[in-house]
Amino acid sequence: MYSGCCFVFALGYLTVCQITRVYIFDYGQYSADFSGPMMVITQKITGLAYEIHDGMFRKDEELTPSQRGLAVRRMPSLLEYISYTCNFMGILAGPLCSYKDYITFIEGKPAHMPQSGENGKEEVQYGRTEPSPNPAVVQKLIVCGLSLLFHLTISSLLPVEYNIDEHFQATASWPTKITYLYVSLLAARPKYYFAWTLADAINNAAGFGFRGYDRNGVARWDLVSNLRIQQIEMSTSFKMFLDNWNIQTALWLKRVCYERASFSPTIQTFILSAIWHGVYPGYYLTFLTGVLMTLSARAMRNNFRHYFIEPPQLKLFYDVITWVVTQIAISYTVVPFVLLSIKPSFMFYSSWCYCLHICGILVLLLLPVKKTPRGENPYEKAQLSRSKKFDERENYLGQNSFSTTNNICNQDQDLASRHPSLKQ
């Protein structure tokens, strides 16, 4: 109950801040003001409230493996709480991190990362030194520089608003409209790449973000990374795009909403995301459209993908087609997010005859939809095993248990690459 009250109060206060910023100060302007830090702090406050609730007021058997791994077993002190919510590394643009990961970093505990041992069994390796973050920081700063350069030189030449230009709509052919839609939204992404990669680099430079070594012994500094650019641009499904875009916010939405929703978790999660982002009508149009696109894409994938697994040539053809469809669907969905206002957003959708909305509805009506069970994937057993080991070890030491955030983000590809034994 207390976690719910905290959630309602924090989100309500954020909404008041968003209304003040939008309708009193600067409607339609992207500006750095108090609402940005408030969005990050809201994530931290609400996430920690549920983690404390899971750890102190619920039985272990009531928790999902991911909730059990992040549960906080004692009340943080005032200093710990303020340090977590207001530390300089993530106060402006994030990224969000779990309380356990942050406290592990602050207390200087060594990284005890699970790795595959003999006979496919998982072992926890102790005493391995944490590497220097400098190579990762330099690499991310280079990405920041390229993203900023692209944004300052190319993005202004390809405005998203041109999609609703009357002359363009009247004279452009459909292939031209589709191509410009994709290119203009592609040009709108580098500013997000810059901000999130810079925030990640700042955390790494401070020593935070080390996630252990992969099976080849390469250090990974992506514990709090917010995006994976290559996977975003090469996404062949709506889910793949969402899993690699604003990763930490997606994890927060999963922890506080999707896993706890008693009905329609996808719809509730998208609505919460819209409320958290702000009060522009375009946000709500984007996320409501996103619900339709996500559900229809899931239905298509479940009904047809298994026909295209073999041979490799057929799978390649399937990947190319799904990449094209995914990029168009993503671009179509997020146009209102960029346009912000409701009138230009409906102008864009009407110029496309609401074609993807209609296709999505037809898919849901005509294709059988398989209900996806929550929290029943093969990797959660491994997460449960790891969380038990860490809890036992930390309880013996009288300390908080250690968690690794990446184990709960449902990104099966990353887990499988680090733990080949899980594929069995």
Side-chain angles (χ1 to χ4, degrees), residues 173-228:
S173 63
W174 271 105
T176 302
K177 288 183 179 180
I178 294 172
T179 302
Y180 186 81
L181 174 67
Y182 167 69
V183 172
S184 62
L185 269 297
L186 175 66
R189 290 198 280 266
K191 62 183 178 183
Y192 298 101
Y193 294 166
F194 167 76
W196 289 337
T197 305
L198 180 61
D200 191 14
I202 290 172
N203 280 267
N204 292 169
F208 184 42
F210 178 59
R211 194 169 63 164
Y213 298 86
D214 63 17
R215 59 180 175 179
N216 297 319
V218 178
R220 305 189 64 171
W221 284 89
D222 57 354
L223 178 65
V224 292
S225 293
N226 233 352
L227 77 168
R228 299 184 181 92

Side-chain angles (χ1 to χ4, degrees), residues 221-239:
W221 284 89
D222 57 354
L223 178 65
V224 292
S225 293
N226 233 352
L227 77 168
R228 299 184 181 92
I229 297 176
Q230 182 177 353
Q231 286 85 339
I232 288 171
E233 301 302 342
M234 300 304 295
S235 294
T236 57
S237 70
F238 216 84
K239 181 182 184 301

Side-chain angles (χ1 to χ4, degrees), residues 289-326:
T289 303
V291 173
L292 178 61
M293 296 299 159
T294 299
L295 296 177
S296 58
R298 183 184 300 166
M300 289 286 291
R301 186 176 180 85
N302 290 340
N303 282 278
F304 294 109
R305 184 176 183 272
H306 55 277
Y307 294 115
F308 296 90
I309 300 299
E310 296 291 343
Q313 295 83 358
L314 189 60
K315 185 178 184 302
L316 177 61
F317 171 77
Y318 174 83
D319 288 342
V320 171
I321 296 299
T322 52
W323 177 83
V324 173
V325 173
T326 298

